[in-house]
Amino acid sequence: MGKPAVSRDAFRGLFAFYAAKAHHDHKPEGEHSLLKMFGSADDIPETLLQQWSDRVELLGSETVGRLMDPRVRQITSGNAQYGHASDFLHMLLRDLGQKML
């Protein structure tokens, strides 16, 4: 393990950023889903945040962004819903793990 885990607030900021984008794009369902995940991000286990940090460090932020962007677009378009931020993070970690293979 390299760097310390990303802060919870920094990870929550991703949901806030994408929710603002959904609002701007007039996608209220996506905005609502992202704000729901923003609120639930307080309960993401530290181990998941550490895994996220480790994989981002290994793969680089551009690669992670390319993998994350389509997943977020699915949320904003209403084609995917996650009950909790950790569900979304688990899915991202699975995608990143496949990229590492």
Side-chain angles (χ1 to χ4, degrees), residues 29-93:
E29 297 86 16
E31 178 184 7
H32 174 75
S33 293
L34 288 158
L35 289 174
K36 182 176 156 187
M37 287 194 298
F38 173 84
S40 69
D42 281 338
D43 300 324
I44 294 175
E46 288 295 324
T47 56
L48 288 180
L49 292 173
Q50 186 63 55
Q51 287 177 17
W52 168 260
S53 295
D54 292 345
R55 292 200 180 152
V56 169
E57 186 176 350
L58 285 172
L59 295 172
S61 58
E62 288 182 26
T63 299
V64 172
R66 282 193 301 273
L67 288 170
M68 188 172 173
D69 189 54
R71 294 295 188 168
V72 174
R73 275 194 241 148
Q74 288 176 335
I75 296 167
T76 58
S77 67
N79 294 327
Q81 291 188 6
Y82 299 92
H84 194 278
S86 62
D87 298 334
F88 180 72
L89 184 51
H90 275 290
M91 181 271 315
L92 284 176
L93 289 169

